[in-house]
Amino acid sequence: MILASLIIGLLTAYYFGLRHGITAALVAFGLFLVEAVVPGLTVPIYVAIGVGVVALLVIGPRRAPSAEAGKVRRVLGAVWGQIKRQLRRRRS
């Protein structure tokens, strides 16, 4: 549940900026906690999170990136590039 919240937060930050990404991660984590405590809400909460992620994936690419989202994209791109370089080094 922590990893899923972080992924949702990073995806939101990628499209909408860091502030919105942190908010999305905290909301997702809160929903996962409620789901863990109240078993009857498991399916509705998973459906709500799934619908939110799909909406994010549909709306995000169509929206013009903000300046803050551009910074997040550059940082994530640099991290991804570093990961790829490390994987290439380990293969050879």
Side-chain angles (χ1 to χ4, degrees), residues 69-85:
K71 291 177 187 176
V72 172
R73 287 181 180 192
R74 283 192 298 275
V75 169
L76 289 176
V79 169
W80 182 247
Q82 186 65 29
I83 290 171
K84 289 189 328 188
R85 278 189 292 266

Side-chain angles (χ1 to χ4, degrees), residues 2 4-31 56 68-69 72 76:
I2 293 173
S5 298
L6 288 175
I7 291 171
I8 290 170
L10 283 173
L11 188 62
T12 306
Y14 183 78
Y15 288 122
F16 296 103
L18 193 57
R19 182 176 297 156
H20 295 295
I22 291 171
T23 303
L26 290 175
V27 168
F29 186 73
L31 286 173
L56 178 67
E68 187 180 348
V72 172
L76 289 176

Side-chain angles (χ1 to χ4, degrees), residues 8-73:
I8 290 170
L10 283 173
L11 188 62
T12 306
Y14 183 78
Y15 288 122
F16 296 103
L18 193 57
R19 182 176 297 156
H20 295 295
I22 291 171
T23 303
L26 290 175
V27 168
F29 186 73
L31 286 173
F32 284 130
L33 281 178
V34 169
E35 173 268 326
V37 174
V38 185
L41 293 178
T42 300
V43 173
I45 287 177
Y46 283 160
V47 168
I49 290 173
V51 167
V53 169
V54 168
L56 178 67
L57 292 173
V58 170
I59 295 170
R62 295 179 183 185
R63 187 174 176 272
S66 65
E68 187 180 348
K71 291 177 187 176
V72 172
R73 287 181 180 192

